[in-house]
Every structure is written in C-alpha cells, then in structure tokens.
C-alpha cells in the first residue's frame, strides 16, 4: 500500500474515533443534564399529584392542600417518590405527561392503580391513613 492510502485510512479512522468520542460525550451530557432532572421533576410532580388526588379537592382550598403536603413526613414523601421512581422510564414519562399537564387526577389515579403493585398500593393507603386525621381537621 502506498503512503497516501495509509494516510487516508488513518485520517478516516481518526475521524471515526473523534466522532465516537463526541457522540459518547453528548449521550452522557444528555443523560445527566436532561434525562435525570426531567425524571426527578416528573417523579416529584407525579407524587404530589397522586397524593393530591386522594384529598377532597372540592372541600379543601389549594392553600390547605399545600399545607397538608408540607406537613408530610419527609420519609413518607420519599417513600411515595421511590414507588413512582421505580416505574418511571422514557416511555412512562410520555404516558404521564397528559395527566400531569392537564391535572387529570382521576386518570392519574387509574394509571397508578394499573402500574403500582398491590404492596405499593397498600403502602400508599397506609400513608394516606396516617394523615387522615390532619385531613379531617381541615374539613371541620
């Protein structure tokens, strides 16, 4: 082989390696700068709305619901977020967006019943019952 053919192959290989490195960097940046924050925001919003969907919004004001959510034990809130986080992926984020953006509480509740396991639903019910007295106090 002549030197010019070797150089062309070498340059083509160098370009391919540089392209591969740039592609890997873009994927990592996209994952850590876009996907993870988007996923965390979706989990947090879904958890909040799932909790809100269990509250009687027709008799509680937004401020009262917000106060109830703020009074939740951080461990309970983390437990709800962990449950939801274990079921979040690229596909499920796109499935959840209509419920989250439209504040479709009934749809979100139905979606949660279809996706969460019986154990997770029982744990959610337990958490809800733990704060039932506070909800009742707001309703009086």
């Amino acid at each position: 082989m002549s030197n010019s053919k070797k150089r062309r192959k070498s340059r083509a290989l160098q370009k391919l390696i540089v392209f591969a490195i740039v592609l890997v960097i873009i994927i990592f940046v996209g994952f850590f700068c876009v996907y993870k924050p988007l996923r965390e925001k979706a989990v947090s919003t879904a958890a909040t709305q799932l909790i809100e969907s269990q509250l009687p919004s027709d008799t509680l004001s937004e401020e009262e619901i917000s106060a109830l959510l703020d009074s939740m034990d951080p461990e309970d809130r983390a437990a709800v977020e962990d449950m939801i986080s274990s079921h979040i992926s690229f596909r499920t984020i796109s499935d959840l967006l209509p419920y989250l953006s439209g504040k479709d509480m009934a749809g979100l509740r139905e979606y949660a019943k279809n996706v969460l396991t019986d154990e997770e639903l029982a744990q959610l019910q337990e958490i809800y019952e733990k704060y039932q007295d506070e909800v009742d106090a707001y309703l009086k």
Side-chain angles (χ1 to χ4, degrees), residues 6 10 19 21 24 46 52 55 61 95-96 101 105-106 110 114-115 122 131 140:
K6 286 182 183 178
S10 176
F19 177 75
I21 290 171
V24 168
E52 284 179 7
L55 301 173
S61 69
D95 291 345
L96 284 172
S101 61
M105 298 297 183
E110 189 63 32
N114 292 333
V115 172
Y131 296 97
K140 290 181 184 179

Side-chain angles (χ1 to χ4, degrees), residues 17 49 55:
I17 291 172
Q49 288 193 1
L55 301 173

